[in-house]
Amino acid sequence: MLKFNKLQFTRNLTIRVKIWLFFMMLVCIVFILMWTFQILLLGPFYEIMKVSSVSGATKKLASAYHTENFTDCLLDSAVRNDMCIEILDKNGAEVRYECMFSGNCMLHNGSNDVYFYFMELRESETGEICRKIYNNTMQSEMLIYGCPLYNKKGGIAGYLITNARLVPVEASRQIMQNITIFIMVLLVISGVILSAYAAENLGAPIKKLNISAQRLAQGDYTVQFPGGGCAEVDDLADTLAYASRELSRTDEMQRDLIANVSHDMRTPLTMMKAYAEMIRDLSGNNPEKRNQHLNIIIEETDRLSLLVNDMLDLSKLESGTQKLDIDRIDISEKLREIARRYEGISEKMGYSLIFTGNAPYIINCDSGKIERVICNLLNNAINYTSKEDRRVYLRQINFPDRVRIEISDTGDGIEEDKIKLIFDKYYRSENHKREVVGTGLGLSIVKAILKMHGYNYGVNSKIGEGSTFWFEAPPADPINDINQQ
C-alpha cells in the first residue's frame, strides 16, 4: 500500500513541482558536501597541502645550494612561504639563517632545539624529518621540515631546516561556514527562480501538447501540435502530428471501406432477394426459369462469400495474426505451374497468357502466399488488359542478387499521380473498367503479403500502353524464421 501511495503521489506531481524538487535536491546535496568538507576534511586537507608546500619549497631551495643566487633564493623562499630557514654545516654549526617570526619560531627562540633537530635529521633513515610542534610563544602549531645539503661530489655538506606556522583552521572554518550558509540561501533563491523558469519552458509546451492530444482523441484530426522548449518536445510534437495524419488517413480509409463493403454487399443481397421473390411468385412451378434464378442466387452468394473471405484474409495479414510458413522453392517451377493452370482458363475466356521463364532460382518464401500474389496480379491483368489485344504477360528475370517477377497487361494504363494509390483498399483507377467482377481487395492482399516477406514491389504504367506489376525476391539463404522477426 505504501508503495502504491508513493507511485500515485509521484504521478500526481506536475512537471513544475518535479523540476523544483530536483533543484532543491541538488541544492541540498551541494550544501551537505560543502558542510562535510568544512567539518571533517578541511583540517586534514589544509595540513596535507601545507606539508606539501613547505617540503616542496625546502627541496627546491636545497637543489639551488650550489647556484650563485642561492642567497637571493633563500630570502625569497622565506618571504614567499612565510617560514624561517636555518642552514647548518655537517657538524651542526649555524652557517646562515632567515627568521620571519622575530625570533619567536622554533629555530631561533634561543633554545637548543635546533641541535635536537640536527641530530634527528642526521640519524633519519629517510634523510628527512617532518614534525608538528606546538609553539607556546606564538600559540600556534609549527611545522618543522629538514633535509640534507649535498656538495658537488655528492657528499653531505650540511643541513637545511625550515619552520612554518600552521594557521589555526577553526577561525577559517567558522568564516567558511558563514559563507556556506550565505551561499545556501543564494542557491535556494536562484534554484526557485531557475526551476520556475525551466518548468515554464518545459511544462507550457507539454501542457499545450496535452490539450492538442485530447482534441485528437476526440476525433479532431486538424489539430496542430506546437513544439518548443527542447528537442524532445519537438520530437514528441512531430510524432503526435504524424499520428494525427495516420489516424486521419486510417479513419478515412475505414469510412471508404465501410462504404465500399456496404455497396458491394448490397448489390448481391438485393439480387438474391429479388430472384428469391421471383422464384416464390413467378418461376416456382417452371423448372427452367427456377434453375436459372437459383444459379444467379448461387453466383451472387459466391461473390458475397469471396468478398467476406478477402476481407478476413486482409485483416489477418495486416494485423499480423497470420504467420508465414517459410520454405525453399524454385520460383521458376512455381511460375510454370501457375502458367499451365491458366492455359485452360485463358482459352475459355479468349485471352492469351504469354509466359517467359528463366533458369531455376531458389528463394525462401511462403509458397502458398506467393502463389496467391501471382494469381491476384494475373487476375488483375486479365480484368484490365486491352479488349482488342487480350494478352497478358508473365515474366521471370534473373539477376545475381535477386529475381524479378513481372505481370503486364495491355490496357489503358494508370495516371502517374494515381500509381501510389493503386494498392489501397477498394481503389479503382478511372482508366480501368472491370469486365470481371472482383472484390477490390486483391492488390491490398498482394501488398500485405509482399510486405510480410520484405520484398520490394511496385507498378510501372503509361497511359495507353498498359501496366506492369512486379516484385523482387532475394536468393535463398539458410531458412530464416521470418515469423519471429
Side-chain angles (χ1 to χ4, degrees):
M1 180 63 69
L2 181 60
K3 182 178 180 181
F4 171 78
N5 290 338
K6 286 183 177 179
L7 181 61
Q8 190 67 31
F9 173 75
T10 303
R11 287 179 176 175
N12 291 335
L13 293 178
T14 65
I15 190 171
R16 290 179 172 86
V17 175
K18 288 185 176 181
I19 292 177
W20 182 83
L21 288 176
F22 289 147
F23 268 97
M24 292 303 100
M25 288 173 59
L26 178 61
V27 169
C28 290
I29 290 172
V30 172
F31 177 75
I32 291 172
L33 290 177
M34 293 178 64
W35 199 267
T36 302
F37 173 78
Q38 294 168 23
I39 298 299
L40 301 178
L41 302 177
L42 182 59
F45 180 77
Y46 168 76
E47 187 171 319
I48 291 172
M49 294 301 295
K50 188 64 176 181
V51 169
S52 176
S53 174
V54 171
S55 62
T58 304
K59 291 178 180 179
K60 183 178 180 180
L61 189 59
S63 64
Y65 179 61
H66 296 292
T67 60
E68 295 180 355
N69 59 344
F70 176 69
T71 301
D72 296 333
C73 291
L74 196 68
L75 180 60
D76 181 69
S77 182
V79 173
R80 184 184 299 274
N81 296 282
D82 192 26
M83 63 183 183
C84 298
I85 301 173
E86 181 76 14
I87 299 178
L88 306 175
D89 62 18
K90 61 181 179 179
N91 296 318
E94 183 179 84
V95 176
R96 182 178 176 83
Y97 75 93
E98 293 289 344
C99 182
M100 304 301 296
F101 302 121
S102 303
N104 293 319
C105 65
M106 303 302 294
L107 301 179
H108 309 114
N109 58 2
S111 66
N112 202 27
D113 291 343
V114 176
Y115 177 76
F116 294 106
Y117 301 147
F118 162 72
M119 295 298 296
E120 184 178 354
L121 180 59
R122 192 170 64 174
E123 296 174 2
S124 172
E125 295 180 357
T126 62
E128 300 176 358
I129 60 169
C130 183
R131 294 181 56 186
K132 187 172 68 170
I133 301 174
Y134 186 78
N135 190 328
N136 291 316
T137 304
M138 298 184 64
Q139 297 292 304
S140 174
E141 293 280 351
M142 306 294 286
L143 179 65
I144 305 295
Y145 188 85
C147 67
L149 298 172
Y150 296 96
N151 56 32
K152 294 182 179 180
K153 295 182 179 180
I156 295 178
Y159 297 93
L160 174 61
I161 303 175
T162 59
N163 177 205
R165 180 170 58 179
L166 293 175
V167 178
V169 179
E170 290 302 323
S172 301
R173 180 184 292 144
Q174 186 61 44
I175 295 173
M176 292 187 65
Q177 287 176 356
N178 294 334
I179 294 175
T180 300
I181 294 174
F182 178 72
I183 292 175
M184 179 67 179
V185 173
L186 291 180
L187 285 175
V188 170
I189 296 173
S190 60
V192 171
I193 296 174
L194 289 175
S195 62
Y197 176 77
E200 183 63 26
N201 278 268
L202 293 177
I206 294 176
K207 187 176 181 180
K208 292 179 182 178
L209 288 178
N210 184 44
I211 295 173
S212 298
Q214 290 175 358
R215 291 176 57 189
L216 175 63
Q218 296 171 358
D220 182 4
Y221 301 122
T222 63
V223 64
Q224 300 295 320
F225 293 93
C230 60
E232 288 79 2
V233 175
D234 291 338
D235 291 342
L236 177 59
D238 293 341
T239 302
L240 288 173
Y242 173 76
S244 176
R245 292 193 297 270
E246 290 300 309
L247 286 172
S248 176
R249 182 171 175 269
T250 302
D251 187 63
E252 183 179 355
M253 291 175 63
Q254 183 180 10
R255 289 195 299 268
D256 292 343
L257 176 62
I258 294 174
N260 283 286
V261 168
S262 300
H263 178 270
D264 283 358
M265 283 186 170
R266 182 171 55 194
T267 301
L269 287 173
T270 301
M271 294 186 68
M272 289 165 65
K273 179 182 179 182
Y275 280 98
E277 290 175 346
M278 291 174 67
I279 293 173
R280 182 192 65 187
D281 299 334
L282 301 174
S283 61
N285 296 325
N286 186 334
E288 182 179 352
K289 288 286 186 181
R290 184 179 66 236
N291 290 336
Q292 182 182 359
H293 294 163
L294 287 173
N295 285 333
I296 293 175
I297 292 175
I298 291 172
E299 289 175 359
E300 294 301 322
T301 303
D302 291 340
R303 176 183 173 188
L304 190 59
S305 177
L306 179 62
L307 175 62
V308 172
N309 288 334
D310 278 356
M311 289 175 59
L312 289 174
D313 289 343
L314 182 60
S315 177
K316 291 178 182 179
L317 289 169
E318 291 184 338
S319 65
T321 58
Q322 194 169 96
K323 301 298 183 180
L324 298 179
D325 184 13
I326 300 299
D327 199 1
R328 293 166 64 90
I329 70 165
D330 181 359
I331 191 64
S332 177
E333 181 60 32
K334 174 63 69 174
L335 292 174
R336 287 188 176 88
E337 176 189 335
I338 295 173
R340 283 194 298 268
R341 246 189 287 150
Y342 271 79
E343 285 178 358
I345 304 175
S346 63
E347 292 176 2
K348 181 180 178 181
M349 297 181 64
Y351 69 90
S352 300
L353 174 60
I354 302 171
F355 171 58
T356 304
N358 209 319
Y361 202 101
I362 307 299
I363 65 172
N364 288 336
C365 69
D366 186 318
S367 178
K369 288 186 173 57
I370 289 299
E371 180 176 328
R372 186 171 185 181
V373 166
I374 298 169
C375 292
N376 281 5
L377 293 176
L378 282 173
N379 293 338
N380 184 74
I382 292 169
N383 286 346
Y384 296 131
T385 197
S386 170
K387 295 181 181 180
E388 294 78 16
D389 188 83
R390 307 290 289 178
R391 285 184 294 178
V392 173
Y393 297 88
L394 174 62
R395 290 183 289 271
Q396 173 192 348
I397 306 172
N398 290 354
F399 295 98
D401 60 340
R402 67 193 188 282
V403 60
R404 184 182 178 101
I405 311 302
E406 295 183 347
I407 295 93
S408 302
D409 63 62
T410 58
D412 296 332
I414 309 170
E415 296 177 359
E416 185 176 353
D417 59 337
K418 300 296 192 301
I419 287 179
K420 62 182 179 180
L421 305 174
I422 201 66
F423 288 100
D424 289 347
K425 289 186 277 291
Y426 285 108
Y427 177 80
R428 292 182 175 91
S429 172
E430 296 176 357
N431 294 329
H432 285 61
K433 305 298 181 184
R434 286 187 182 273
E435 295 178 0
V436 180
V437 176
T439 65
L441 298 174
L443 292 181
S444 296
I445 293 174
V446 166
K447 174 183 175 182
I449 293 175
L450 293 178
K451 287 183 70 174
M452 288 180 69
H453 280 80
Y455 292 169
N456 292 326
Y457 63 93
V459 56
N460 302 322
S461 183
K462 290 185 178 180
I463 298 298
E465 297 183 11
S467 304
T468 297
F469 288 81
W470 57 268
F471 69 90
E472 295 176 338
D477 291 326
I479 296 179
N480 297 317
D481 189 0
I482 296 182
N483 297 335
Q484 296 180 1
Q485 293 182 353

